[in-house]
Amino acid sequence: MAVTSLVMVTAPTSAETLTGSGYEAADPNQPQLRVTDLSATRGDGVFETIGVMDCHVQSLTSHLHRLAASAAILDLPGPRLDVWRAAVEHALDRADPAPELSAKLVLSRGEEGSRRCTGWVRVAPAPDMSRARADGVRVLTLDRGYRSDVAETAPWLLQGAKYTSYAVNMAALRYARRHGADDVIFISSDGAVLEGPTASVLLRIGNTLVTPGTDQSILPGTTQDRAFRYAENAGLATQARRVEAAELATAEHLWLCSSVRLCAAVRELDGRELTWDRRLTADLLSWLRTTHD
Amino acid sequence: MAVTSLVMVTAPTSAETLTGSGYEAADPNQPQLRVTDLSATRGDGVFETIGVMDCHVQSLTSHLHRLAASAAILDLPGPRLDVWRAAVEHALDRADPAPELSAKLVLSRGEEGSRRCTGWVRVAPAPDMSRARADGVRVLTLDRGYRSDVAETAPWLLQGAKYTSYAVNMAALRYARRHGADDVIFISSDGAVLEGPTASVLLRIGNTLVTPGTDQSILPGTTQDRAFRYAENAGLATQARRVEAAELATAEHLWLCSSVRLCAAVRELDGRELTWDRRLTADLLSWLRTTHD
């Protein structure tokens, strides 16, 4: 057992020959990747980050399916989902138990010229999210530069895939922090609400929970999906549709949802304070934290 | 001596303490990066690829300055250019001599939470570019999704930096190859010619060589810059400015320029054959290949 555990997936996709289990434990403190790995030189891979609550991997099936969908958008070979599932469980078995862990899965196109993908699962303690959960976050809206229809019209822009070319997302977060905010909501060049750099956007408008639809060139959110199930249990309607940027200011509540932070209320948007219901947020958080699926 | 050589840059930026030379030779066949390196998980680094012709590193100073400019756009600490220069020379000394090599420099934000950057220089035989140089390339124009002013209006989109989140560039090339082309010229959403996924665009219009200006949210091209010096020697005027997409079809010649391929004439654009002057292209190639700077 160790604080952090690492499992290399030796047969991550249909392109590699499967011998044995297709994965093996490795030392997370040792180098594992060559400098020609295309994840390192081209950001050419896909990934998932999954919350592990009380040693239960939340929505593992949804995350695996999204990994496969992302791989398809990047023309990667199909991931062996049974191998990945077993690798995640093996990595979890090898990590010290803790109330909250995170599991990161990365599937890279592999070393230049090798035609064999590289993959790994790393389980580590989750960062402390208690403050964002309890007190909410301050958010800037930033232009994503793309129209909301690019996933359809320009598939080479890879929108809708969760892939490791994430420098723009990281730069947007740094920009927000330099300007007194904690997080970002991206707006398309045609004025639609998209997503955060590492989160989905959720709005309460009347008795409906609303999220931008996946036809807006964004990722399907696994935690947002679970929040919709919470809403249905709580007697709220749910709706995935185009959301205009102007609607953000008029929503009764606004949240960012993601696998490790779960949900954080937006308490300030572009420098303007928003009202938010601590009880409803705590109730949603508790549901996301404790409902296993 | 080896076909490929690798030098890890142990003090790549002002953020690391410099002890000794700041670099050391490493085995290119062994893993050198941990899976938490942000180059591998976030595409969070900058890079340069440099042509090495007859053991001369072409335009090394320009490449080092561009590496520093890219690092600044990504809020990375300033690279120690003297260390990088010596690391390039050391890597070159350790590689088998060949008429054409390529040197790749990568500066990564480093391992998660470490606040120390990772860097390396890899020297390897250049891929055979003789066919593209002699026979030209077939090119598709593809939408880059961004307006030509985003470097100014949305700096978090990192346009104008050469950074390792390159999956979109690779996807665009795959798209082109699936559609009977070899390469791509990106067009902005407001109709301006930008650049190729790994090349600058050069047009001959009358007696002027024209390239899209760096105010169009694109990289400054080191090879394009050398092509401009060729033009000045040959009595042609040069111009860096906004180029409308419609001008591509009316140019007398169209080239893609990059450090390793040097230049390739565009012989087909969006399925339509273009005329091109083999003698002029051969003359430009010879100049780029043999003029040391």
Side-chain angles (χ1 to χ4, degrees):
Chain A
M1 306 288 273
V3 171
T4 296
S5 77
L6 176 65
V7 169
M8 299 304 291
V9 184
T10 50
T13 78
S14 56
E16 301 81 32
T17 308
L18 179 62
T19 53
S21 64
Y23 58 85
E24 57 189 26
D27 184 345
N29 296 314
Q30 290 299 316
Q32 303 292 347
L33 304 175
R34 293 197 201 174
V35 298
T36 52
D37 198 283
L38 292 162
S39 63
T41 57
R42 297 296 199 190
D44 204 356
V46 297
F47 76 104
E48 287 292 322
T49 305
I50 315 182
V52 183
M53 307 296 167
D54 304 320
C55 297
H56 177 84
V57 183
Q58 297 281 46
S59 304
L60 179 55
T61 300
S62 300
H63 283 285
L64 291 174
H65 286 159
R66 192 169 66 177
L67 186 78
S70 297
I73 294 175
L74 266 75
D75 306 314
L76 287 163
R80 294 184 194 274
L81 298 189
D82 50 342
V83 169
W84 281 92
R85 182 185 292 275
V88 170
E89 297 296 349
H90 191 55
L92 185 57
D93 286 346
R94 292 175 57 85
D96 287 336
E100 299 194 16
L101 298 165
S102 80
K104 181 150 191 169
L105 288 59
V106 179
L107 168 62
S108 150
R109 199 176 299 275
E111 290 170 17
E112 267 174 39
S114 75
R115 296 181 170 274
R116 298 182 71 248
C117 293
T118 312
W120 65 89
V121 177
R122 182 173 176 269
V123 171
D128 179 9
M129 295 296 187
S130 52
R131 194 164 158 205
R133 290 176 184 168
D135 297 337
V137 289
R138 299 160 301 170
V139 167
L140 278 193
T141 54
L142 292 182
D143 178 15
R144 183 62 187 86
Y146 292 140
R147 293 182 315 275
S148 59
D149 66 355
V150 291
E152 182 83 17
T153 63
W156 52 87
L157 299 179
L158 305 178
Q159 291 303 286
K162 192 169 179 80
Y163 65 112
T164 57
S165 282
Y166 237 52
V168 162
N169 302 45
M170 299 295 100
L173 290 175
R174 285 195 303 275
Y175 184 91
R177 284 161 196 164
R178 272 203 306 276
H179 291 82
D182 308 299
D183 215 319
V184 167
I185 293 177
F186 282 127
I187 308 296
S188 70
S189 58
D190 55 323
V193 175
L194 298 176
E195 58 199 347
T198 65
S200 305
V201 176
L202 197 64
L203 304 85
R204 179 174 174 171
I205 300 177
N207 277 324
T208 305
L209 278 204
V210 177
T211 197
T214 52
D215 59 349
Q216 303 293 300
S217 304
I218 60 173
L219 279 187
T222 55
T223 308
Q224 166 270 311
D225 187 56
R226 299 175 68 227
F228 267 28
R229 277 178 284 141
Y230 161 81
E232 286 152 12
N233 283 332
L236 295 166
T238 58
Q239 206 174 37
R241 61 165 171 85
R242 179 182 166 104
V243 176
E244 301 299 331
E247 289 182 81
L248 289 176
T250 64
E252 278 101 310
H253 297 97
L254 187 56
W255 294 273
L256 294 178
C257 292
S258 50
S259 297
V260 174
R261 191 169 51 182
L262 297 175
C263 84
V266 179
R267 66 175 163 91
E268 193 184 293
L269 184 72
D270 294 332
R272 205 171 50 77
E273 267 187 54
L274 301 187
T275 55
W276 59 292
D277 182 334
R278 281 178 188 270
R279 204 186 51 77
L280 177 63
T281 298
D283 202 39
L284 172 58
L285 258 171
S286 166
W287 198 89
L288 293 171
R289 173 75 182 70
T290 58
T291 306
H292 290 176
D293 56 353
Chain B
M1 305 289 272
V3 171
T4 296
S5 76
L6 176 64
V7 169
M8 299 304 291
V9 184
T10 50
T13 78
S14 55
E16 302 81 32
T17 308
L18 178 62
T19 52
S21 65
Y23 59 86
E24 58 189 24
D27 184 345
N29 296 313
Q30 290 299 316
Q32 303 292 347
L33 304 175
R34 293 196 200 174
V35 298
T36 52
D37 198 284
L38 291 162
S39 63
T41 57
R42 297 296 198 190
D44 203 357
V46 296
F47 76 104
E48 288 292 321
T49 305
I50 315 182
V52 182
M53 307 296 167
D54 305 319
C55 298
H56 177 85
V57 183
Q58 297 281 47
S59 304
L60 179 54
T61 300
S62 300
H63 283 284
L64 290 174
H65 286 160
R66 193 169 65 178
L67 186 77
S70 297
I73 293 174
L74 266 75
D75 307 314
L76 287 163
R80 294 184 195 274
L81 298 188
D82 49 342
V83 169
W84 281 92
R85 182 184 293 274
V88 169
E89 297 296 347
H90 190 55
L92 185 57
D93 285 346
R94 293 175 57 85
D96 285 337
E100 297 194 17
L101 298 165
S102 79
K104 180 150 190 168
L105 288 59
V106 180
L107 168 63
S108 150
R109 200 175 299 275
E111 290 169 18
E112 268 174 39
S114 76
R115 296 181 169 275
R116 298 183 70 249
C117 292
T118 313
W120 66 90
V121 177
R122 182 173 176 269
V123 171
D128 179 9
M129 296 297 187
S130 52
R131 194 164 157 205
R133 290 177 184 167
D135 296 338
V137 288
R138 298 159 302 169
V139 167
L140 278 193
T141 54
L142 292 182
D143 178 16
R144 183 60 187 87
Y146 292 140
R147 292 182 315 276
S148 59
D149 66 355
V150 290
E152 182 84 16
T153 62
W156 51 88
L157 299 178
L158 305 178
Q159 291 302 287
K162 193 168 179 80
Y163 65 112
T164 57
S165 281
Y166 237 52
V168 162
N169 302 47
M170 300 294 101
L173 290 174
R174 286 195 303 276
Y175 184 91
R177 283 161 196 165
R178 273 203 307 276
H179 290 81
D182 308 299
D183 215 319
V184 167
I185 293 176
F186 282 128
I187 308 296
S188 70
S189 57
D190 55 321
V193 176
L194 299 176
E195 58 198 346
T198 65
S200 306
V201 176
L202 197 63
L203 305 84
R204 180 174 174 171
I205 300 177
N207 277 325
T208 305
L209 278 203
V210 177
T211 197
T214 51
D215 59 350
Q216 303 294 300
S217 304
I218 61 172
L219 279 187
T222 54
T223 309
Q224 165 269 312
D225 187 57
R226 298 175 68 226
F228 267 28
R229 276 177 283 142
Y230 161 82
E232 287 152 11
N233 282 332
L236 293 166
T238 58
Q239 205 174 38
R241 61 164 171 86
R242 180 182 166 104
V243 176
E244 302 299 332
E247 291 182 80
L248 289 175
T250 64
E252 278 102 309
H253 297 98
L254 186 56
W255 295 272
L256 294 178
C257 292
S258 50
S259 297
V260 174
R261 191 169 52 183
L262 297 174
C263 83
V266 179
R267 67 175 164 91
E268 192 185 293
L269 183 72
D270 294 330
R272 206 171 50 77
E273 267 188 55
L274 302 187
T275 56
W276 60 291
D277 182 334
R278 281 178 188 269
R279 204 186 51 77
L280 177 63
T281 297
D283 201 40
L284 172 57
L285 258 171
S286 166
W287 197 89
L288 292 172
R289 173 76 181 70
T290 58
T291 306
H292 289 174
D293 57 353

